[in-house]
Amino acid sequence: MSEPTESRQRLRVVVADDQAAVREPLAAVLGLSEGIDVVAAAADGSEVLAAVAAGPVDVVLMDLRMPVMDGIEATRRLGEEYPEVAVVVLTTFADDDSVLGALGAGARGYLTKNAGRQDITRAIRAAAAGQSVLDREVQDRLLAAVRTKAPAPGPGLPEDLTPREREVLTLIGQGLPNRGIAEKLFISEATVKTHINNLFAKAGIRDRADAVRRAIEAGLT
């Protein structure tokens, strides 16, 4: 008899935070969420890597400021050694260096610790599906940082971008997550994801932060 679909789709999550008073309650709360199994709790980046190596793991919920190995370095190492594992940052810090460092290292989501349980579980599920979720404060900081620190304009956008792909890039540049883009354009999140995948492939865009930069350089936002 085949395994039930619900069982096959359960997400295996590692919770990483150096403070036990944060890590343990968070792991307990997430463990009660539908479709999520917390398979390990880690106090630093080296423990994250060990937990993933013992796997399997789908998503790591990652704090940034941790001893031994911080969250940005752990995210970078995961991207090199376990690219199939998604990282969602959950941290107190939303300064430019933290946001850009984490996203540049490969994090798919970035939330601050005032995020609620629903926000966190939504970000975990989105990251597992290859999507990005940034909370509003982080979106605003990212947009401001890119506008301030953006290098000289690079290559223009490809001529074969469709009007819809340009619309999607414009909305990414404005800081909208996939759900917000879907609502704005009256299309499904799955369709948004398809447009983003096509857009990134055509324009050679690496990640969400790079997409924001390219939108600004192209004068779309």
Side-chain angles (χ1 to χ4, degrees), residues 110-127:
Y110 197 116
L111 303 176
T112 54
K113 286 184 177 176
N114 58 4
R117 173 182 167 183
Q118 289 186 340
D119 295 324
I120 296 171
T121 55
R122 180 167 62 90
I124 287 172
R125 294 186 179 108

Side-chain angles (χ1 to χ4, degrees), residues 20-159:
V22 174
R23 181 177 68 249
E24 294 172 3
L26 181 58
V29 168
L30 287 178
L32 298 175
S33 300
E34 183 178 357
I36 291 178
D37 291 327
V38 177
V39 296
D44 58 60
S46 64
E47 291 187 7
V48 170
L49 293 177
V52 172
V57 172
D58 299 303
V59 180
V60 175
L61 190 63
M62 185 85 76
D63 189 21
L64 290 185
R65 308 288 173 86
M66 297 184 292
V68 184
M69 181 187 297
D70 65 24
I72 291 177
E73 176 62 15
T75 299
R76 185 188 65 78
R77 290 275 300 274
L78 286 173
E80 293 175 351
E81 300 174 25
Y82 305 96
E84 72 281 5
V85 177
V87 173
V88 174
V89 170
L90 180 66
T91 183
T92 305
F93 306 97
D95 58 279
D96 293 354
D97 289 343
S98 296
V99 172
L100 296 176
L103 295 177
R108 291 186 191 167
Y110 197 116
L111 303 176
T112 54
K113 286 184 177 176
N114 58 4
R117 173 182 167 183
Q118 289 186 340
D119 295 324
I120 296 171
T121 55
R122 180 167 62 90
I124 287 172
R125 294 186 179 108
Q131 302 170 9
S132 297
V133 173
L134 310 176
D135 73 14
R136 174 53 60 183
E137 180 182 0
V138 171
Q139 291 174 18
D140 292 344
R141 293 300 295 259
L142 177 59
L143 287 169
V146 171
R147 287 191 174 105
T148 301
K149 300 178 181 180
L157 296 175
E159 293 183 1

